[in-house]
Amino acid sequence: MAKDGGFELPITQSLLGDCLGLSAVHVNRVLQDLRGAGLLAVNRANFRLLQQEKLEQVAGVDGTYLHQTGPLAGIAIGFSCKDIDPKD
C-alpha cells in the first residue's frame, strides 16, 4: 500500500476483469459503486482508498486469513495476471 491509501495500477478495466474472471462491464459497475459510496477514488491508473476499514468490511476481509495454520497453510494457486496476453 502506498502513502495515504493510494497506489498506481496501470491496467485497463478489461484486463482487470480478465484477471479477476469478470466482465469489463461488471468491473466498471463495481468501480462506479465504490466511487459512489465514497470508498474509492480513481483517476486513470491512480487509485485511492478513501475509507479502507469500511471497504474491508464491504469486501468481507478476514484479517486472520493470512495467518492460517494447518495442512493447507501456505498453498497458493499458481495463476498470475502476467499469464494473460492483453492482445487476446
Side-chain angles (χ1 to χ4, degrees), residues 36-86:
L39 301 176
L40 178 70
V42 181
N43 183 5
R44 297 186 190 245
N46 297 303
F47 290 72
R48 185 159 180 229
L49 307 180
L50 302 175
Q51 298 182 53
Q52 184 171 344
E53 287 183 20
K54 188 170 182 180
L55 183 61
E56 289 174 0
Q57 182 181 27
V58 168
V61 171
D62 177 1
T64 64
Y65 177 76
L66 296 176
H67 305 286
Q68 299 288 320
T69 59
L72 299 179
I75 295 176
I77 297 172
F79 174 80
S80 169
C81 287
K82 294 176 185 174
D83 298 331
I84 297 175
D85 185 351

